[in-house]
């Protein structure tokens, strides 16, 4: 079992920045990927960014160049630095963890609202 605890969401003006954090605990020895997905009202959940245990990162096309995912191994955490935020980035952001055996866990979500 893996528990994911997210933090860092909130209200920000367009053009502003936020940093989301996700701390993993439990049986995390087989971490394959950690990442962030988001779901806006009425939309499907979509990939934001993912960190692979090889060190490779991948981004959704709508956030590439503005968002950066990073991993702190000692803390078993993953972060999402979001810059140049736009109203269309408004969504609930979910942390995701996957193992090499394809076990998967989700966090409870943290809401990000970009509005003036």
């Amino acid at each position: 079992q893996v528990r994911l605890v997210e933090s860092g969401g909130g209200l920000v003006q367009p053009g502003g920045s936020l940093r989301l954090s996700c701390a993993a605990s439990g049986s995390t020895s087989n971490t394959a990927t950690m990442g962030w997905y988001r779901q806006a009202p009425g939309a499907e959940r979509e990939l934001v960014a993912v960190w692979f245990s090889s060190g490779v990162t991948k981004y959704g096309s709508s956030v590439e160049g503005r968002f950066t995912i990073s991993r702190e191994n000692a803390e078993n955490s993953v972060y999402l630095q979001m810059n140049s935020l736009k109203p269309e980035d408004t969504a609930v952001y979910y942390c995701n963890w996957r193992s090499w055996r394809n076990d998967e866990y989700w966090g409870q979500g943290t809401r990000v609202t970009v509005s003036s």
Side-chain angles (χ1 to χ4, degrees):
Q1 191 84 1
V2 173
R3 182 169 181 247
L4 302 172
V5 178
E6 301 131 331
S7 61
L11 172 66
V12 63
Q13 291 187 344
S17 298
L18 276 178
R19 186 178 188 240
L20 304 184
S21 301
C22 174
S25 61
S27 303
T28 60
S29 59
N30 291 318
T31 300
T33 68
M34 289 187 73
W36 293 92
Y37 291 72
R38 68 187 183 187
Q39 188 165 19
E44 294 186 356
R45 192 170 294 191
E46 63 172 355
L47 169 72
V48 177
V50 63
W51 170 89
F52 294 84
S53 59
S54 63
V56 171
T57 57
K58 178 181 176 181
Y59 296 90
S61 59
S62 62
V63 307
E64 188 138 25
R66 298 186 298 123
F67 291 10
T68 302
I69 189 170
S70 60
R71 156 89 171 176
E72 175 57 57
N73 287 331
E75 297 176 358
N76 220 2
S77 296
V78 68
Y79 305 94
L80 184 69
Q81 178 66 41
M82 305 187 293
N83 298 329
S84 302
L85 281 160
K86 304 175 182 180
E88 50 263 45
D89 294 317
T90 295
V92 178
Y93 285 69
Y94 295 92
C95 183
N96 175 270
W97 180 94
R98 286 193 180 96
S99 75
W100 290 106
R101 299 182 306 173
N102 264 344
D103 299 318
E104 183 176 46
Y105 292 91
W106 293 90
Q108 79 284 359
T110 185
R111 186 174 300 277
V112 172
T113 302
V114 184
S115 175
S116 55

